[in-house]
Amino acid sequence: CACDAGWCRCCRANPSLHPALAHVDWNRAAVFGHSMGGFATSMAAAAPLGPANNVKAAVLSHGAVGAVNETCSPDKCPSGCGVSGFPMPSVGQCVRAPSPGTPAIQVPTLFTTGSADTTVRPNHVYAAFKACPARPKVFVELSGQYHTTKGEQGFDAHFLACHAAGVQSSCERIYGGGAEDLCQARKYNRCEVVKSDDPGCKYSTKASCDGDPGCAWCLSGAVPPACNTLAEARALPPSVFKCDKVEGAA
């Protein structure tokens, strides 16, 4: 079945593709992908495809971006290399954003990665998290984890159950403050939750952003200029982002 843009309609019309499809509520869909599947998930969840297919939540596991200027060369990517360093045959050039869909995702999204992942590096996944306008959104980086989902099982399911099925107990496991809840239950290098009511550094100009001691203005060829907290600015990959107030920034 050539799904292309109609991936959800294709699955709905062909339940024999997988036994689980017979149990899907197509009014409350969710998408999950690992590695290149995470990259594809960013496109499946993004507007206009995500809302058109009733997608309520997404999980991008160790995906959404590739390497920065490491596998990319002028002969492969004549238009230059952005956050994603591999060519996309469908467009004939290298992707110049954290992923084609990430800046257009409007549904709650969980980004997961590991500090030891050298296939899709954690700071590149964090760049995709930063570019995503969805609220709420969550970023977790497990300490010592490689390019696998070991240690994440359970919380990805809780995230989807919370936002796609409205399971309150799952919402508490993601956003709660107890010892067994997401940010407390594992050893993380970073665990960030941005809720819908979190103002953050929302300044729209460089002057107003840099005028706040807790904020820094960041430039990138991959995404539009934006105001970030100092902690966020320091965590962004310096080969991609140039942030004011960050040591070593150009």
Side-chain angles (χ1 to χ4, degrees):
C1 179
C3 295
D4 298 323
W7 61 271
C8 192
R9 292 188 295 274
C10 173
C11 292
R12 182 171 7 190
N14 296 271
S16 61
L17 290 172
H18 193 281
L21 292 176
H23 306 283
V24 173
D25 179 350
W26 295 104
N27 293 315
R28 299 183 300 171
V31 286
F32 172 97
H34 175 74
S35 193
M36 183 57 78
F39 185 92
T41 294
S42 72
M43 294 182 280
L49 295 182
N53 288 306
N54 297 317
V55 171
K56 305 301 182 185
V59 174
L60 280 64
S61 168
H62 297 249
V65 293
V68 180
N69 296 333
E70 293 172 359
T71 60
C72 182
S73 60
D75 59 316
K76 293 181 180 178
C77 310
S79 297
C81 303
V83 174
S84 185
F86 49 85
M88 296 294 288
S90 61
V91 295
Q93 64 185 26
C94 278
V95 177
R96 296 188 58 80
S99 73
T102 303
I105 296 178
Q106 300 173 354
V107 299
T109 304
L110 169 64
F111 295 81
T112 66
T113 184
S115 65
D117 190 341
T118 57
T119 302
V120 180
R121 297 181 179 177
N123 277 351
H124 303 159
V125 178
Y126 187 75
F129 167 77
K130 288 296 302 173
C132 179
R135 296 293 186 274
K137 63 179 180 179
V138 179
F139 173 86
V140 292
E141 177 188 329
L142 281 93
S143 179
Q145 181 163 305
Y146 295 91
H147 193 63
T148 70
T149 60
K150 183 179 180 181
E152 298 169 13
Q153 297 95 331
F155 286 112
D156 45 14
H158 279 303
F159 187 87
L160 297 179
C162 171
H163 292 291
V167 179
Q168 185 58 37
S169 59
S170 287
C171 293
E172 292 171 359
R173 292 300 304 278
I174 298 297
Y175 302 108
E180 297 301 317
D181 297 330
L182 177 62
C183 286
Q184 293 76 234
R186 300 283 190 274
K187 184 178 180 181
Y188 296 112
N189 279 15
R190 285 180 282 184
C191 185
E192 296 187 22
V193 177
V194 180
K195 298 180 180 179
S196 57
D197 58 352
D198 186 346
C201 291
K202 298 298 183 183
Y203 302 105
S204 59
T205 66
K206 171 181 169 67
S208 57
C209 177
D210 286 342
D212 187 323
C215 301
W217 189 252
C218 296
L219 300 175
S220 172
V223 296
C227 189
N228 298 276
T229 67
L230 279 177
E232 293 168 340
R234 293 186 181 111
L236 292 170
S239 58
V240 180
F241 292 87
K242 302 303 179 185
C243 299
D244 297 340
K245 305 181 185 178
V246 176
E247 185 178 354

